[in-house]
């Protein structure tokens, strides 16, 4: 199976969890985009759901597919969120934010009864940290936070867009990508980052994912809470 086929298989398995009338968080990234396409197909076939997109990109895609989307002005809770990941370890801990959407993704996941994570096989890791941990920071604080992140034991760099400009998130913030190589204590690092003034959100998702669906050559591997 190609990585693309693995993503497609995981996305398809995730969409099977969606039932009529649900409020569903729609993740961001290439794997999530496949899931949104499949949700669109089910909506065209008669499924009635309300989607909460986790990024402007996903909102645009969902609208084009005819999926009804709302924000927190219209709903209080979500039944389910389906999202991709950059890394997942054996304890269902994640690194997210490769697409720069982890702030909204974490908010949406936090208001969801269940979070289903979908990915291709290579996203499974024994230890988090090979993928650079994205840390979203307010622009004012970024010059001060760059060395502060490095002092935590990583190589820290400002994320740039394809045109060379500093990358701006949907909320108008910057991202510092932190290369730790390996993260020995994700919980301690998450706490440290969450309590650093100027950090808006980091990409460690601990205690969020309920079900992990990984596309593999032997079918979709399911890890359930
Ligand atoms: C975006 C994310 C994505 O879920 C993550 O980057 C995985 O993306 P892809 O499926 O394209 O590899 O966290 O902020």
């Amino acid at each position: 199976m190609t990585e693309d086929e693995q993503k497609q298989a995981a996305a398809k398995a995730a969409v099977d969890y969606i039932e009529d009338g649900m409020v569903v968080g729609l993740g961001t990234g290439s794997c999530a985009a496949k899931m949104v396409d499949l949700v669109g197909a089910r909506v065209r076939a008669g499924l009635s759901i309300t989607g909460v997109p986790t990024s402007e990109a996903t909102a645009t895609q969902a609208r084009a597919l005819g999926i009804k989307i709302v924000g927190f002005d219209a709903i209080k809770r979500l039944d389910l969120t389906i999202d991709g990941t950059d890394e997942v370890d054996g304890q269902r801990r994640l690194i997210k934010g490769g697409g720069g959407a982890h702030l909204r993704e974490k908010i949406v996941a936090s208001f969801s009864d269940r979070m289903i994570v979908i990915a291709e096989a290579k996203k499974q890791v024994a230890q988090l940290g090979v993928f650079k941990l994205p840390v979203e920071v307010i622009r004012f604080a970024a010059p001060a936070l760059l060395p502060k992140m490095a002092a935590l034991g990583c190589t820290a760099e400002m994320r740039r867009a394809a045109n060379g400009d500093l990358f701006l998130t949907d909320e108008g913030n910057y991202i510092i990508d932190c290369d730790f190589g390996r993260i020995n204590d994700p919980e301690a690092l998450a706490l440290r980052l969450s309590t650093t003034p100027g950090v808006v959100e980091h990409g460690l998702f601990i205690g969020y994912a309920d079900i992990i669906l990984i596309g593999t050559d032997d079918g979709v591997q399911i890890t359930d809470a």
Side-chain angles (χ1 to χ4, degrees):
M1 253 187 176
T2 65
E3 282 178 8
D4 228 42
E5 288 166 340
Q6 292 177 353
K7 289 180 194 183
Q8 186 70 26
K12 189 170 178 307
V15 168
D16 287 345
Y17 286 81
I18 299 177
E19 294 168 16
D20 213 50
M22 278 187 166
V23 180
V24 181
L26 304 172
T28 296
S30 58
C31 197
K34 292 182 186 304
M35 174 274 297
V36 175
D37 276 341
L38 292 167
V39 172
R42 281 194 63 190
V43 165
R44 279 195 300 284
L47 178 78
S48 172
I49 61 128
T50 303
V52 180
T54 55
S55 64
E56 295 303 322
T58 298
T60 302
Q61 182 192 4
R63 262 188 227 107
L65 291 166
I67 302 170
K68 177 186 171 194
I69 58 168
V70 299
F72 283 106
D73 50 339
I75 54 113
K76 288 192 174 61
R77 296 281 317 165
L78 295 86
D79 296 288
L80 188 66
T81 282
I82 304 173
D83 205 346
T85 194
D86 297 301
E87 283 186 351
V88 52
D89 74 4
Q91 297 175 58
R92 285 179 279 112
R93 298 179 295 193
L94 317 172
I95 286 183
K96 286 182 53 54
H102 59 281
L103 171 57
R104 291 191 188 180
E105 289 171 338
K106 195 178 279 187
I107 294 167
V108 171
S110 77
F111 283 95
S112 301
D113 292 341
R114 274 189 306 175
M115 180 187 194
I116 299 180
V117 173
I118 52 177
E120 68 276 34
K122 74 170 187 191
K123 302 290 182 62
Q124 285 181 305
V125 296
Q127 185 168 14
L128 298 177
V130 170
F131 191 87
K132 293 176 190 170
L133 179 67
V135 179
E136 181 161 345
V137 301
I138 67 162
R139 284 184 277 176
F140 171 79
L145 286 176
L146 192 63
K148 192 159 187 168
M149 292 299 113
L152 294 176
C154 66
T155 303
E157 61 183 4
M158 299 299 300
R159 186 178 296 186
R160 293 192 177 271
N163 66 2
D165 291 348
L166 287 168
F167 179 90
L168 271 183
T169 69
D170 283 345
E171 295 295 334
N173 299 310
Y174 289 153
I175 289 183
I176 300 176
D177 286 308
C178 298
D179 188 355
F180 284 95
R182 65 199 317 203
I183 297 173
N184 290 323
D185 189 344
E187 282 79 5
L189 179 60
L191 180 63
R192 185 83 181 263
L193 292 170
S194 296
T195 52
T196 300
V199 169
V200 182
E201 195 51 83
H202 57 80
L204 283 166
F205 282 52
I206 300 174
Y208 286 86
D210 297 294
I211 300 172
I212 312 287
L213 301 176
I214 301 288
T216 76
D217 289 346
D218 302 320
V220 176
Q221 178 191 310
I222 305 173
T223 307
D224 203 328

